[in-house]
Amino acid sequence: ILDLRVLAKVRGLPGGMAAMFINYGSIMGLSVFFSLYLQQVLGLNAFEAGMVMMTQSITQALLSPVAGRLADRFDPVRVSTLGMAGCGLSILTLTTLDAQSEVWNVVLLQASLGTGIAFFVAPNVAATLGDVPQEHMPVASGLLGCLRTLGGLMSHILMAGMLSLFLKDSSIGPENVGSFLEAMRYTLILFGSLNLLSLVFGVRRSLRRAGETRN
């Protein structure tokens, strides 16, 4: 049913799947973190927090078609690699947020993260599945979706583990805001570092495609 030999037959597929896993593993848990941060630390209500967090999705939706056109015009691996770099840098920049941060600062950083995601997702799918033979497309597409889901699961597990490590059995409140911010900061450093380390896959794929083009 699941022919894993496709991983050996399509050279760019494992790298694209690894990039998808790492990227989603570093961004999917952020929505939970920032929902708590905006409400428990900055004092916004649920509606206001949702409006701020919506900035990322709106930016991603607006720029995804642009990223898709660039991927069609240029090398999609390079576009997705730039997007992944943008994600990593945006996540690391989010570590500067604290209890005194302004809401507009959070909005700008959410927009920056949405830009990175937009320039990663569609070009990475195009680069990963572009060389897959038609007979292997269902399996390759399924594997890519599976890695996306597993990455999101890993993200939430790491986030929950960090909260448990710093907050123990306590719920988030005014008395332990400092511990929550410390947990968020260390988790963001981990997520951002993973994203930047995964650039290795993008660079390797880009060099391989450039070599194949010359040949």
Side-chain angles (χ1 to χ4, degrees):
I1 297 176
L2 184 60
D3 186 4
L4 295 179
R5 289 175 296 180
V6 66
L7 297 175
K9 294 177 181 178
V10 184
R11 295 180 59 187
L13 185 57
M17 290 171 56
M20 181 70 76
F21 175 76
I22 293 173
N23 188 269
Y24 272 78
S26 60
I27 62 176
M28 291 298 288
L30 297 184
S31 58
V32 179
F33 253 133
F34 280 94
S35 175
L36 295 171
Y37 169 75
L38 291 168
Q39 295 180 74
Q40 300 296 331
V41 179
L42 297 190
L44 276 63
N45 59 41
F47 176 78
E48 293 169 337
M51 294 296 291
V52 171
M53 293 174 61
M54 194 169 62
T55 307
Q56 175 190 316
S57 300
I58 292 176
T59 306
Q60 183 179 347
L62 291 175
L63 294 181
S64 287
V66 178
R69 286 195 293 271
L70 289 175
D72 290 336
R73 185 175 179 182
F74 303 103
D75 182 7
V77 173
R78 293 183 181 180
V79 178
S80 67
T81 301
L82 288 174
M84 184 173 291
C87 287
L89 292 174
S90 296
I91 293 171
L92 291 176
T93 306
L94 287 167
T95 61
T96 60
L97 297 175
D98 54 28
Q100 285 74 46
S101 296
E102 299 289 342
V103 174
W104 65 264
N105 194 17
V106 183
V107 171
L108 289 178
L109 292 176
Q110 289 286 315
S112 174
L113 180 59
T115 302
I117 296 172
F119 279 85
F120 168 76
V121 176
N124 184 67
V125 172
T128 304
L129 300 181
D131 297 331
V132 177
Q134 191 62 39
E135 64 270 18
H136 296 303
M137 186 63 73
V139 173
S141 179
L143 287 173
L144 197 63
C146 179
L147 266 294
R148 181 171 57 243
T149 302
L150 289 176
L153 177 62
M154 182 193 74
S155 180
H156 285 85
I157 291 174
L158 288 175
M159 182 206 67
M162 293 297 282
L163 286 175
S164 177
L165 178 64
F166 283 89
L167 298 179
K168 307 301 180 184
D169 296 328
S170 304
S171 58
I172 302 171
E175 68 281 357
N176 55 16
V177 164
S179 297
F180 169 75
L181 288 173
E182 194 172 5
M184 186 175 77
R185 186 171 297 111
Y186 278 107
T187 306
L188 290 172
I189 291 174
L190 174 61
F191 285 167
S193 300
L194 284 174
N195 233 306
L196 293 179
L197 285 174
S198 67
L199 291 176
V200 174
F201 297 108
V203 172
R204 288 181 60 186
R205 285 194 297 165
S206 184
L207 292 175
R208 179 183 61 82
R209 289 171 72 97
E212 291 175 351
T213 301
R214 287 195 298 268
N215 294 331

